[in-house]
């Protein structure tokens, strides 16, 4: 799980990795509030765009 604003990854720098039950989370690095499903779909979209270009 990575923040799509600052690319901070949960589970690094003594933060806890998010589990499946964590539907919402706040990035400890930039303070952005994320709803997991939306953040995930944004990340997937970015990957798809990268693949096709
Ligand atoms: Zn962030």
């Amino acid at each position: 799980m990575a923040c799509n604003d600052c690319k901070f990854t949960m589970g690094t720098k003594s933060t806890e990795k998010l589990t499946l039950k964590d539907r919402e989370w706040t990035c400890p690095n930039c303070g952005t509030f994320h709803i997991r499903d939306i953040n995930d779909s944004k990340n997937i979209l970015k990957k798809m765009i990268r693949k096709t270009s």
Side-chain angles (χ1 to χ4, degrees):
M1 182 62 59
C3 174
N4 54 30
D5 286 328
C6 70
K7 312 295 184 241
F8 180 83
T9 304
M10 290 301 284
T12 64
K13 292 182 185 173
S14 74
T15 56
E16 280 187 37
K17 241 182 180 176
L18 294 174
T19 61
L20 283 174
K21 64 177 164 56
D22 294 312
R23 310 294 299 174
E24 300 171 349
W25 59 287
T26 303
C27 175
N29 189 52
C30 70
T32 302
F33 178 74
H34 297 287
I35 297 167
R36 187 194 178 102
D37 291 342
I38 294 172
N39 199 50
D40 274 352
S41 53
K42 277 185 191 168
N43 285 341
I44 290 164
L45 268 174
K46 278 184 190 170
K47 274 178 200 163
M48 285 171 72
I49 291 164
R50 221 176 286 143
K51 261 181 206 169
T52 51
S53 61

